[in-house]
Amino acid sequence: MNTIKSKLILAFGTTITVLLLVMVLKSQYSKKSETIQEVIDFRIEPALEILHEYRTFNNELFLIALNKISSTKSDKITNRMKVITEVELPHLNNRAFDLIATFPPDDPEFSSFSKIISTSDNAIINVKDMFIILQTNNDYAKIEKLNVSSTLLKDKIALQFSEIDHLVSALQINFNLESKTKKTELNRQLINLNKIIVISSTVAILISVLVAFKTIHSIVKPIKILQDGAKRISKGDYEHRVTLNGKDELNELGDNFNNMANSLSRSFENINSKNKELEQFVYIASHDLQEPLRTISSFSKILTEQYKGQLDDTGEHSLRFISEATSRMQFLVKDLMDYSRLGNDKSLETINCDELILGVQTDLSELIKDTNTDLIFNELPNINGYKTALRLLFQNLINNAMKFQKKGVKPIVEIFYEDDQNFWKFGVKDNGIGIAPEHQSKIFSIFKRLHTNKEYQGTGIGLAHCQKIIEMHKGRIWVESQKNQGSTFYFTLAKNPDIDSVLV
Ligand code: ADP
């Protein structure tokens, strides 16, 4: 079975086949029970009913014959005799005849019933004869009529009735016995049918559940493996590959998944090596640029000092421009060098954030003093991270918070944090010029600045630096601000920035 479609067809097919088998088995057993019930309904019950009526008529007719001898003039007796002999008994004989017509010819009951019918017919004739004798007026003396009738009653009618009675009794015993046997058999069939239904339904359910479980398992398991694989790769484990057995569509999907992962990791390797090359280039370029910059800077210094007063206004003005531009370029080159070097420090350590910021405060003490800044922070946590990088991060954000300030306003910079499950979440809040919402996402790109150097000095590298540092710590950085209403820079740092253990 190669495809999911075939697996599903197999699962449903097995279930339907099992159910059909159960139905066939049930109908077989039901058929047997129906046959037994038919024997009871159409043979035994009607036979017992007819026999019972024979017995009743037999007794009644014998009594009528006896009574007729003792009271010959009773019209009531004569009328009843007529109804029985001309209507009821012939009708019963017909019913009996119809019934035995359905019996198998070799059935012993068939001959017994035939015997009853013929004896009954004869008895009717004899009873009628007896009545005729008793009712004739002239031919015999009364006593003689009685004698002849008594003899008829004793020698023929009584014997016939007794024979009928005997046959009826014997047949009743037979049919009662047969009824009992059939009912027991029917009962047994019903119990068996019940058992069959319970057992076969249980087996059917078990088989269906088993097949369904196996089918679902064979579909869900590879999906789960693919899902785990995708999760691991998305967490950064680019070397992870999935192994699926079988030859269905999911297996094909697994192969494609692995191919995709291969291309992905090749692309990442490419990007990484290109990035490294680029960083190397930036490092070398900025490093090599420092030397000529230093030369320009020192010569313009010499010119400024040694030719002071000897140059005209344009000359002095130009020299000042050269000095300022050189020093800006020196900052830029230094920042670029720091940026390209970031990430080389790969040793994680436990950092006391209060101590870290105290260090930053010392480094920025001159600016803090000049701007009269209030730097507020209190009981920050110990965190796991890259120390040099984190120091630079706080330094950039605090520096910006003091720098982008409204004129004449005392800068207030506050650093706070909260514990956010797998992350530390920090905020650096200022009361400065704020950032309009439409610029907020752009400022983290390298060289992106919202102001001229005249307004606020800078290189446009600081926040790009911060972004890179946050990536090293598997976190994210964003700003919440409104123009002229201060800014809060938020960032998260993974508690364990180790590559595989953090959900970013
Ligand atoms: P730089 O500070 O050298 O200009 P950054 O990369 O640090 O470069 O910042 C980029 C830009 O984002 C800044 O030029 C400024 O316009 C804006 N910015 C950064 N921090 C703040 C702040 N705290 N308040 C207002 N604007 C800010």
Side-chain angles (χ1 to χ4, degrees), residues 204-312:
I205 289 169
L206 281 179
I207 291 175
S208 306
V209 167
L210 201 81
V211 172
F213 180 78
K214 277 213 87 165
T215 311
I216 290 170
H217 181 71
S218 73
I219 295 171
V220 169
K221 197 180 161 201
I223 291 178
K224 181 97 190 47
I225 293 174
L226 283 168
Q227 196 186 21
D228 287 347
K231 220 180 207 170
R232 284 185 68 167
I233 289 178
S234 73
K235 276 194 212 167
D237 184 1
Y238 303 116
E239 295 314 312
H240 182 71
R241 298 293 178 270
V242 296
T243 317
L244 302 177
N245 300 319
K247 283 179 184 148
D248 59 16
E249 294 93 334
L250 287 169
N251 206 62
E252 219 172 281
L253 184 63
D255 291 342
N256 289 335
F257 180 93
N258 286 341
N259 291 340
M260 187 189 72
N262 286 339
S263 333
L264 206 65
S265 70
R266 265 200 307 275
S267 304
F268 273 117
E269 268 167 30
N270 263 344
I271 291 169
N272 277 344
S273 83
K274 285 270 178 300
N275 255 353
K276 282 220 167 72
E277 266 174 38
L278 215 63
E279 276 170 11
Q280 193 67 14
F281 169 78
V282 172
Y283 179 76
I284 292 168
S286 45
H287 182 268
D288 290 355
L289 278 172
Q290 274 184 330
E291 180 50 34
L293 271 177
R294 259 197 301 273
T295 314
I296 298 171
S297 170
S298 23
F299 274 99
S300 52
K301 213 170 170 186
I302 291 170
L303 274 176
T304 317
E305 281 165 10
Q306 289 190 3
Y307 289 85
K308 201 168 181 180
Q310 294 179 40
L311 294 172
D312 61 5

Side-chain angles (χ1 to χ4, degrees), residues 93-302:
N93 279 344
N94 283 342
R95 274 171 62 203
F97 193 73
D98 287 346
L99 177 72
I100 60 168
T102 63
F103 287 11
D106 55 344
D107 193 339
E109 273 85 18
F110 182 87
S111 52
S112 294
F113 252 110
S114 307
K115 190 86 184 133
I116 290 175
I117 295 167
S118 60
T119 316
S120 170
D121 279 343
N122 288 335
I124 290 168
I125 295 166
N126 286 329
V127 171
K128 277 181 178 170
D129 283 353
M130 196 191 90
F131 270 67
I132 292 166
I133 292 167
L134 285 172
Q135 272 164 3
T136 47
N137 291 327
N138 307 324
D139 300 335
Y140 299 100
K142 193 185 177 189
I143 187 88
E144 210 164 334
K145 282 197 279 184
L146 280 176
N147 273 342
V148 175
S149 306
S150 297
T151 315
L152 191 62
L153 184 66
K154 206 169 80 203
D155 291 351
K156 282 197 173 166
I157 299 173
L159 283 179
Q160 282 164 338
F161 283 154
S162 128
E163 193 182 355
I164 291 171
D165 211 44
H166 179 72
L167 285 168
V168 166
S169 296
L171 273 179
Q172 275 179 328
I173 290 170
N174 276 0
F175 278 111
N176 274 327
L177 225 115
E178 199 181 336
S179 165
K180 211 170 158 192
T181 321
K182 288 290 172 201
K183 279 182 179 160
T184 317
E185 207 179 320
L186 183 67
N187 223 17
R188 215 183 39 239
Q189 284 298 332
L190 286 177
I191 290 170
N192 279 349
L193 180 64
N194 254 356
K195 270 190 201 158
I196 285 289
I197 289 174
V198 170
I199 293 172
S200 55
S201 305
T202 313
V203 171
I205 289 169
L206 281 179
I207 291 175
S208 306
V209 167
L210 201 81
V211 172
F213 180 78
K214 277 213 87 165
T215 311
I216 290 170
H217 181 71
S218 73
I219 295 171
V220 169
K221 197 180 161 201
I223 291 178
K224 181 97 190 47
I225 293 174
L226 283 168
Q227 196 186 21
D228 287 347
K231 220 180 207 170
R232 284 185 68 167
I233 289 178
S234 73
K235 276 194 212 167
D237 184 1
Y238 303 116
E239 295 314 312
H240 182 71
R241 298 293 178 270
V242 296
T243 317
L244 302 177
N245 300 319
K247 283 179 184 148
D248 59 16
E249 294 93 334
L250 287 169
N251 206 62
E252 219 172 281
L253 184 63
D255 291 342
N256 289 335
F257 180 93
N258 286 341
N259 291 340
M260 187 189 72
N262 286 339
S263 333
L264 206 65
S265 70
R266 265 200 307 275
S267 304
F268 273 117
E269 268 167 30
N270 263 344
I271 291 169
N272 277 344
S273 83
K274 285 270 178 300
N275 255 353
K276 282 220 167 72
E277 266 174 38
L278 215 63
E279 276 170 11
Q280 193 67 14
F281 169 78
V282 172
Y283 179 76
I284 292 168
S286 45
H287 182 268
D288 290 355
L289 278 172
Q290 274 184 330
E291 180 50 34
L293 271 177
R294 259 197 301 273
T295 314
I296 298 171
S297 170
S298 23
F299 274 99
S300 52
K301 213 170 170 186
I302 291 170

Side-chain angles (χ1 to χ4, degrees), residues 332 335 396-405 428-436 439-440 442-453 456-466 479 481 486-489:
L332 192 68
D335 275 0
N396 279 337
L397 292 178
I398 296 169
N399 194 38
N400 280 352
M402 292 190 291
K403 184 164 68 175
F404 296 102
Q405 186 54 265
V428 178
K429 185 176 178 203
D430 64 52
N431 57 340
I433 58 170
I435 305 164
H439 295 132
Q440 287 173 8
K442 298 177 199 156
I443 54 173
F444 296 95
S445 311
I446 193 161
F447 301 129
K448 181 71 193 172
R449 307 199 69 235
L450 303 178
H451 309 92
T452 60
N453 248 316
Y456 298 100
Q457 283 213 337
T459 58
I461 297 177
L463 286 180
H465 246 139
C466 294
V479 63
S481 175
S487 313
T488 307
F489 281 81

